[in-house]
Amino acid sequence: MNSFIIAFDAVFPFLFYISFGYLTRAAGVVDEAFMKKLNQMTFRVFFPLMMFYNLYDRDPGQKLNYAFVTAAVFSVLLLVFILFLLIPRMVKENPRRGVLIQGIYRSNFVLFAIPLTENIFGHAGTATASMLVAIIVPIYNVTAIILLEYFRGGSIRPLGLIKKVLSNPLILGAIAGAAAVMLDFRLPSGVETPISEFSSMTTPLALFVLGGTLRFSSMRSNLKYLVPAIAAKLILLPAIALAAASAMSFGPLE
């Protein structure tokens, strides 16, 4: 029962923020066009600040767990490879294949991993998740572009691929944060305080916007794809990952 309460306390704020956004739009307080603009601003402005500050503000004694990072990277690449072989045998339409593979392996890591680990483990969880985000998000972006272009029948241009990854606001924020750590750079308190507060408001704002842009109208026609994709993402893969992490003796945070 105690584990359930801990899980509920960690996850319920997400549901609250999303529901609040959905109800705000449904009540006509804001429209979808406003939410889309706010979504763009959150991605381009607030997320980079959060990525920067989470790395900038980490404990100086905290080091990257290379075994953990290696396991995370390998697991993502292995999963993509397995899905690349498996999904085309199950789905006939090429455009759906790439989308479905993405839907199973690619999570909204920044939006959920960072606040979830912070809710359970405090600041140490935030720093660890942010360091992993800086490594996993480029892999997500590269594999997603390759998969979508492949199933669309398009060509993959390496320079364009690199440009898209390096121009991602999340990656730019992570690079700036990592640079500040390596150079032992400290901001003046008058600048550090507002950046810290903007960082803190990023997750609630992003989840509020997510709720405000939700549409349920197309769910019924796509249930045969949604149900297996969500079951794999939320039940099967976490069960396998937890079993593997336990076998590799990772700690509770990892």
Side-chain angles (χ1 to χ4, degrees):
M1 186 63 184
N2 187 52
S3 296
F4 175 79
I5 293 172
I6 292 171
F8 179 83
D9 288 342
V11 173
F12 182 76
F14 296 168
L15 180 61
F16 185 90
Y17 295 138
I18 292 170
S19 300
F20 191 58
Y22 180 78
L23 293 172
T24 300
R25 195 205 72 210
V29 178
V30 295
D31 59 15
E32 192 167 359
F34 172 81
M35 283 294 192
K36 286 182 177 179
K37 284 286 187 183
L38 190 57
N39 182 52
Q40 188 177 43
M41 185 182 76
T42 303
F43 177 70
R44 295 186 177 277
V45 178
F46 291 109
F47 269 134
L49 285 175
M50 183 182 73
M51 288 296 299
F52 167 80
Y53 188 76
N54 285 345
L55 292 174
Y56 166 85
D57 194 46
R58 75 183 182 90
D59 183 352
Q62 187 176 6
K63 295 182 180 179
L64 192 63
N65 185 334
Y66 290 102
F68 176 54
V69 171
T70 302
V73 171
F74 177 77
S75 66
V76 172
L77 295 177
L78 178 62
L79 178 60
V80 171
F81 178 71
I82 292 171
L83 292 172
F84 180 77
L85 297 178
L86 188 63
I87 294 300
R89 296 174 181 272
M90 303 167 62
V91 179
K92 293 181 179 180
E93 306 97 322
N94 249 356
R96 290 186 185 272
R97 288 170 171 173
V99 173
L100 193 58
I101 292 172
Q102 266 204 103
I104 294 173
Y105 85 85
R106 187 176 183 176
S107 64
N108 203 326
F109 195 28
V110 180
L111 190 55
F112 292 105
I114 293 175
L116 185 61
T117 49
E118 183 178 22
N119 287 350
I120 299 173
F121 294 101
H123 185 63
T126 304
T128 299
S130 295
M131 286 189 284
L132 194 59
V133 162
I135 297 164
I136 295 296
V137 166
I139 295 174
Y140 277 169
N141 290 348
V142 170
T143 52
I145 292 169
I146 291 172
L147 285 167
L148 292 174
E149 286 296 320
Y150 177 82
F151 286 112
R152 192 174 65 87
S155 59
I156 299 162
R157 299 174 182 174
L159 288 178
L161 195 62
I162 294 170
K163 184 180 178 181
K164 281 187 178 181
V165 171
L166 292 179
S167 63
N168 186 306
L170 303 178
I171 304 305
L172 294 175
I175 291 172
V181 170
M182 289 188 288
L183 297 172
D184 196 25
F185 172 75
R186 304 306 300 177
L187 293 167
S189 60
V191 177
E192 185 175 313
T193 298
I195 289 179
S196 170
E197 291 175 351
F198 277 134
S199 174
S200 299
M201 70 177 279
T202 299
T203 296
L205 179 62
L207 291 169
F208 172 82
V209 171
L210 176 63
T213 54
L214 281 179
R215 289 286 182 185
F216 297 101
S217 56
S218 62
M219 282 181 62
R220 183 174 298 177
S221 60
N222 290 289
L223 274 180
K224 69 176 182 178
Y225 301 108
L226 282 171
V227 171
I230 291 172
K233 180 194 285 286
L234 299 183
I235 300 172
L236 179 62
L237 294 176
I240 294 171
L242 284 171
S246 299
M248 289 184 280
S249 301
F250 287 127
L253 174 56
E254 285 78 11

